Amino acid sequence: MKETLSTLSALAKEAIQNCTTEAEIEEIRVKYLGKKGELTAILKQMGSLSPEERPKMGQLVNEAKQELEELISVKRGELKNAATELKLKAETIDITMPAKEVKPGKLHPLNTVLDDMINIFQSMGFDVVDGPEIETDHYNFECLNVPADHPARDMQDTFYLAENLLLRTQTSAAQIRTMETRKPPIRVICPGRVFRADEVDATHSPVFHQIEGLVVDKGITMCDLKGILEEFAHEIYGSDTKVKFRPSFFPFTEPSVEVDVTCSECGGKGCRVCKGGGWIEILGAGMVHPNVLRSCGIDPEEYSGFAFGIGLDRLTTTRYKISDIRLLFENDKRFLDQF
Ligand code: PHE
């Protein structure tokens, strides 16, 4: 029995020495010291020994057990450390590596210009309102003094969705919605997308952007219109910019004007941007037609107002010297990254 014991413990020691993983060491512990282990089995045979031999043998087995337990715990510690070491090595971060470039999103040039315009008008006391892109004939034409057979309908080629439903051709529809829901004094701008069945080319797109402005109050005159729009043009293009009001026609304003500013590229001398003329048209405007006020339940004898519609795309392309309006809609990252 003594011999078996020493062979067993020698075998166990060797196994402990050679093992390389924590799982293996656990296997060894079970094999020799577990409930059904080989050393435990010796203790169970003690019954066959004489009463004098029993305590001696018992002591030997216990000593061997203790020794093995200690070896196992030491080896286990070693293996654990080695494993941690290995893991740390694998996870080392090389702080000398170049960092990944972070590319934050930025505003589309149209939004940058729009934000500037909103700031300018808000500083003059205007509210920003919103209107639907899908409009009814009623809001887009009828209430704006453009009845069904009016020739002015040909000025704007319309995308119809159904008999009475269309993609708004102008943000002017928001004038009506505002006058229906607010009482004068009214001072609002409504920026948004508008749609016309235009062929696509460098200066035309079937989708573009307008900012409609509307002021209604007692005693509003053409002077207020000129003052506000001149101020706006100076804020956007600089105070040296000259502003010209040309007579024009819109069915919903009377009188109507178109507003030109001196070309910011050449200062009015004439260049490629202004096609040699020295002036760039930036908006249409006029005194709100009495019929329009009336259709919204506002008495034109008591109140008057002016409205204007600014083309955001034109403003953006001239500000950034963008030669083709299509660039604003194509979402080419190489283009957008320049802003
Ligand atoms: N809605 C007109 C257009 O799209 C612009 C405009 C707005 C003119 C308001 C006068 C007053 O051409």
Side-chain angles (χ1 to χ4, degrees):
M1 199 173 281
K2 240 187 205 165
E3 256 164 50
T4 327
L5 181 62
S6 62
T7 331
L8 269 181
S9 64
L11 274 175
K13 276 181 201 167
E14 202 189 319
I16 293 168
Q17 196 74 42
N18 292 336
C19 92
T20 52
T21 66
E22 286 180 78
E24 262 179 80
I25 198 102
E26 177 59 12
E27 242 172 63
I28 293 167
R29 190 193 64 78
V30 174
K31 179 164 186 233
Y32 292 99
L33 305 177
K35 258 193 199 141
K36 292 180 184 156
E38 295 181 23
L39 229 70
T40 322
I42 294 186
L43 280 176
K44 284 181 188 152
Q45 291 165 22
M46 300 265 280
S48 63
L49 294 177
S50 66
E52 304 90 64
E53 277 175 321
R54 230 176 270 158
K56 275 192 214 149
M57 196 59 212
Q59 203 188 342
L60 282 178
V61 174
N62 278 335
E63 274 170 13
K65 247 179 116 171
Q66 249 169 32
E67 195 187 3
L68 289 182
E69 264 162 12
E70 226 173 275
L71 285 174
I72 285 175
S73 117
V74 169
K75 186 74 181 176
R76 192 173 265 149
E78 281 173 17
L79 288 173
K80 206 172 195 148
N81 285 346
T84 316
E85 198 88 351
L86 230 95
K87 198 164 167 227
L88 283 178
K89 236 186 215 151
E91 286 174 0
T92 326
I93 294 167
D94 180 359
I95 55 165
T96 64
M97 285 226 316
K100 265 195 196 151
E101 194 186 349
V102 180
K103 286 210 169 161
K106 33 193 167 170
L107 283 184
H108 190 282
L110 280 172
N111 285 92
T112 308
V113 177
L114 176 59
D115 280 357
D116 287 354
M117 310 232 309
I118 289 177
N119 277 337
I120 293 170
F121 281 111
Q122 275 180 336
S123 76
M124 297 197 269
F126 284 74
D127 280 347
V128 179
V129 297
D130 204 10
E133 289 180 348
I134 296 176
E135 267 297 2
T136 57
D137 192 87
H138 176 80
Y139 285 107
N140 195 82
F141 289 125
E142 203 76 29
C143 289
L144 285 162
N145 202 28
V146 192
D149 50 0
H150 196 288
R153 289 223 179 184
D154 296 341
M155 284 165 76
Q156 303 176 357
D157 260 329
T158 311
F159 286 116
Y160 279 91
L161 302 173
E163 168 100 6
N164 238 329
L165 227 47
L166 47 87
L167 294 177
R168 66 175 173 193
T169 58
Q170 49 189 352
T171 41
S172 299
Q175 275 189 41
I176 307 299
R177 290 184 178 273
T178 305
M179 286 192 282
E180 277 182 355
T181 51
R182 295 191 183 200
K183 293 242 157 323
I186 293 170
R187 253 170 209 248
V188 294
I189 55 167
C190 171
R193 279 200 294 190
V194 296
F195 308 84
R196 290 182 201 178
D198 269 335
E199 291 282 346
V200 183
D201 65 27
T203 52
H204 292 88
S205 161
V207 185
F208 56 102
H209 302 80
Q210 283 188 336
I211 296 163
E212 181 80 5
L214 174 69
V215 173
V216 181
D217 202 352
K218 284 181 179 156
I220 297 287
T221 70
M222 195 82 183
C223 285
D224 299 301
L225 177 155
K226 279 189 77 177
I228 294 265
L229 294 179
E230 225 165 54
E231 178 65 25
F232 161 74
H234 287 162
E235 290 280 344
I236 283 275
Y237 288 106
S239 48
D240 310 336
T241 306
K242 291 204 190 77
V243 184
K244 182 163 76 178
F245 292 79
R246 263 186 301 114
S248 184
F249 170 79
F250 297 104
F252 32 88
T253 48
E254 183 58 38
S256 301
V257 291
E258 274 174 309
V259 177
D260 300 341
V261 292
T262 40
C263 173
S264 53
E265 178 69 14
C266 61
K269 287 190 217 76
C271 70
R272 244 189 56 216
V273 175
C274 55
K275 301 201 177 79
W279 295 92
I280 292 176
E281 182 198 320
I282 56 164
L283 60 90
M287 301 307 292
V288 180
H289 197 291
N291 285 351
V292 175
L293 292 174
R294 232 174 266 127
S295 74
C296 301
I298 294 175
D299 181 1
E301 297 298 326
E302 197 181 353
Y303 291 102
S304 56
F306 67 86
F308 53 90
I310 304 171
L312 178 60
D313 310 80
R314 172 74 65 84
L315 229 54
T316 307
T317 51
T318 50
R319 177 192 294 187
Y320 293 113
K321 305 187 177 61
I322 297 167
S323 55
D324 193 323
I325 193 177
R326 286 171 284 199
L327 287 164
L328 295 175
F329 303 102
E330 282 167 352
N331 285 330
D332 184 333
K333 240 184 126 278
R334 291 165 302 179
F335 168 74
L336 294 174
D337 278 345
Q338 298 172 43
F339 297 94

